[in-house]
């Protein structure tokens, strides 16, 4: 049985750990709120950009682009796929990283050829250790997602696509579901975009658009140049969702650790008080026995 000194030292150690988990909870909460706020500030711009792309397709119904395709069969196995994987830089976030890795492995199994573009040190270490085909020159941290970071990632991915490194690009990330939750891991196709998502139903968006807007040098060129801006918004949204899910998962993990620490402190305090009471009782018993012995000798 542990001594009172050992239990007291353990209580102090658990208390120090509880302070760390509380601090990590508050830090994650602040980071998540800031990321969501910045994403909301940029959302109107990308919504407007999407509307303008829809207008271009409405102006020219036969408009085509290698970045937009309506014939990609998502149920078909195989193909040369590029996979953008968004993980955290570290653990201590419950099952967050493992969910993204599991989703990525499933997508890799569906590919004839694949190339991984990984954001986050955790995913980088995992896939490097298992010998996966990882793009060595693509190294980004998930420390703080920003539009500048999304632009850098988008530029590198488009350069790889233009160079023929892959035929389709997917992103594996975690969709933030609000509140304190780990979210759900999922994947979306980034390139080529689904053309049907931009073709408006009827003529509402394109009504008299050709007489109001003039595209220089032509609609197709403007559409091609708008791809990077739109993809930046898509990547930035995935980064923020993943980052928010990571912080939420870490908040849940730290909250659970705090609850466990509190339960452990209660048990240790109870055990400490029992031992202390037993020691006091033993001392009183010894004193009483000694007093009785002295009285007996005096008689």
């Amino acid at each position: 049985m542990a001594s009172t000194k050992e239990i007291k030292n353990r209580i102090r150690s658990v208390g120090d750990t509880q302070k760390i988990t509380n601090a990590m909870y508050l830090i994650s909460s602040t980071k998540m709120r800031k990321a969501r706020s910045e994403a909301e500030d940029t959302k109107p711009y990308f919504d407007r950009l999407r509307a303008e792309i829809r207008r271009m397709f409405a102006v020219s119904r036969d408009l085509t682009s290698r970045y937009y395709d309506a014939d990609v069969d998502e149920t078909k196995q195989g193909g040369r796929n590029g996979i953008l994987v968004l993980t955290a830089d570290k653990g201590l976030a419950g099952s967050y990283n493992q969910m993204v890795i599991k989703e990525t492995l499933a997508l890799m199994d569906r590919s004839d050829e694949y190339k991984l573009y990984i954001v986050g040190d955790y995913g980088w270490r995992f896939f490097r250790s298992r010998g996966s085909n990882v793009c060595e020159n693509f190294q980004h941290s998930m420390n703080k997602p920003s539009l500048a970071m999304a632009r850098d990632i988008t530029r590198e991915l488009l350069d790889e696509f233009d160079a023929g490194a892959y035929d389709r690009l997917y992103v594996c990330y975690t969709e933030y579901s609000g509140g304190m939750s780990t979210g759900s891991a999922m994947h979306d196709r980034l390139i080529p975009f689904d053309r049907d998502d931009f073709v408006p139903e009827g003529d509402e968006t394109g009504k008299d658009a050709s007489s109001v807007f003039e595209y220089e040098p032509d609609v197709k060129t403007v559409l091609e140049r708008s791809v990077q801006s739109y993809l930046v918004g898509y990547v930035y949204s995935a980064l923020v969702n993943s980052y928010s899910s990571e912080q939420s998962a870490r908040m849940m993990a730290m909250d659970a650790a705090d609850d466990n620490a509190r339960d452990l402190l209660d048990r240790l305090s109870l055990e400490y008080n029992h031992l202390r009471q037993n020691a006091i009782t033993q001392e009183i018993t010894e004193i009483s026995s000694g007093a009785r012995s002295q009285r007996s000798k005096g008689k």
Side-chain angles (χ1 to χ4, degrees):
M1 180 179 292
S3 65
T4 54
K5 183 178 180 180
E6 291 173 339
I7 295 176
K8 194 172 183 179
N9 289 336
R10 193 176 179 191
I11 289 175
R12 186 182 300 109
S13 176
V14 173
D16 292 340
T17 302
Q18 191 178 31
K19 292 178 182 178
I20 296 174
T21 58
N22 285 333
M24 292 181 66
Y25 178 94
L26 295 175
I27 291 172
S28 294
S29 175
T30 302
K31 287 181 176 180
M32 183 179 67
R33 286 198 301 270
K34 185 176 180 180
R36 299 301 298 181
S37 175
E38 291 176 352
E40 288 298 321
D41 291 341
T42 60
K43 187 175 183 295
Y45 167 77
F46 294 107
D47 288 343
R48 186 60 183 171
L49 179 60
R50 180 182 178 86
E52 291 305 319
I53 294 175
R54 287 171 60 89
R55 188 188 301 277
M56 295 180 203
F57 279 109
V59 169
S60 180
R61 293 290 180 174
D62 58 348
L63 185 61
T64 59
S65 170
R66 60 200 175 104
Y67 296 118
Y68 296 84
D69 191 353
D71 299 324
V72 177
D73 185 2
E74 293 299 326
T75 62
K76 184 179 179 180
Q77 301 288 328
R80 297 189 311 138
N81 295 331
I83 306 174
L84 174 63
V85 186
L86 306 183
T87 67
D89 288 334
K90 57 185 178 181
L92 298 177
S95 61
Y96 167 78
N97 287 300
Q98 294 304 318
M99 290 193 305
V100 181
I101 288 174
K102 183 178 179 180
E103 185 73 16
T104 304
L105 292 174
L107 194 55
M108 289 163 55
D109 291 339
R110 292 171 45 189
S111 309
D112 291 333
E113 297 179 26
Y114 68 86
K115 194 172 185 179
L116 300 180
Y117 303 87
I118 302 174
V119 177
D121 293 340
Y122 192 98
W124 176 267
R125 292 192 300 268
F126 176 85
F127 287 106
R128 282 286 302 277
S129 66
R130 71 190 306 271
S132 301
N133 184 17
V134 177
C135 182
E136 299 290 341
N137 297 326
F138 189 91
Q139 297 185 28
H140 293 274
S141 171
M142 188 58 94
N143 183 35
K144 183 181 179 183
S146 63
L147 275 174
M149 176 181 173
R151 291 190 188 99
D152 291 340
I153 292 174
T154 299
R155 183 172 56 252
E156 294 178 65
L157 293 175
L158 284 177
D159 289 344
E160 289 279 289
F161 181 75
D162 294 336
Y166 51 81
D167 298 322
R168 290 178 290 184
L169 174 66
Y170 292 89
V171 55
C172 287
Y173 68 105
T174 308
E175 180 72 22
Y176 179 62
S177 56
M180 284 181 57
S181 65
T182 56
S184 56
M186 58 185 297
H187 71 269
D188 285 335
R189 173 159 55 89
L190 292 181
I191 304 175
F193 294 112
D194 192 340
R195 186 178 184 277
D196 292 340
D197 289 342
F198 296 91
V199 176
E201 297 180 1
D203 295 325
E204 291 79 5
T205 305
K207 186 182 298 182
D208 298 326
S210 58
S211 62
V212 177
F213 291 91
E214 293 183 1
Y215 297 94
E216 293 292 342
D218 54 65
V219 178
K220 184 174 181 178
T221 302
V222 175
L223 179 65
E224 296 264 330
R225 292 179 179 177
S226 68
V227 167
Q228 181 169 352
S229 294
Y230 183 71
L231 190 58
V232 166
Y234 212 122
V235 171
Y236 181 58
S237 175
L239 287 170
V240 171
N241 269 284
S242 293
Y243 188 74
S244 298
S245 298
E246 175 197 346
Q247 301 307 324
S248 179
R250 183 163 290 114
M251 288 170 62
M252 290 179 60
M254 294 303 101
D255 189 56
D258 184 69
D259 290 340
N260 292 335
R262 193 178 298 110
D263 293 340
L264 183 58
L265 286 175
D266 290 341
R267 292 197 300 269
L268 289 174
S269 297
L270 185 62
E271 184 178 355
Y272 175 80
N273 290 333
H274 283 169
L275 287 176
R276 187 166 175 270
Q277 185 63 46
N278 290 337
I280 293 174
T281 302
Q282 183 176 355
E283 290 178 2
I284 293 175
T285 302
E286 290 174 353
I287 292 173
S288 299
S289 298
R292 284 197 300 269
S293 176
Q294 289 297 326
R295 285 197 299 268
S296 300
K297 287 181 179 180
K299 291 180 180 178

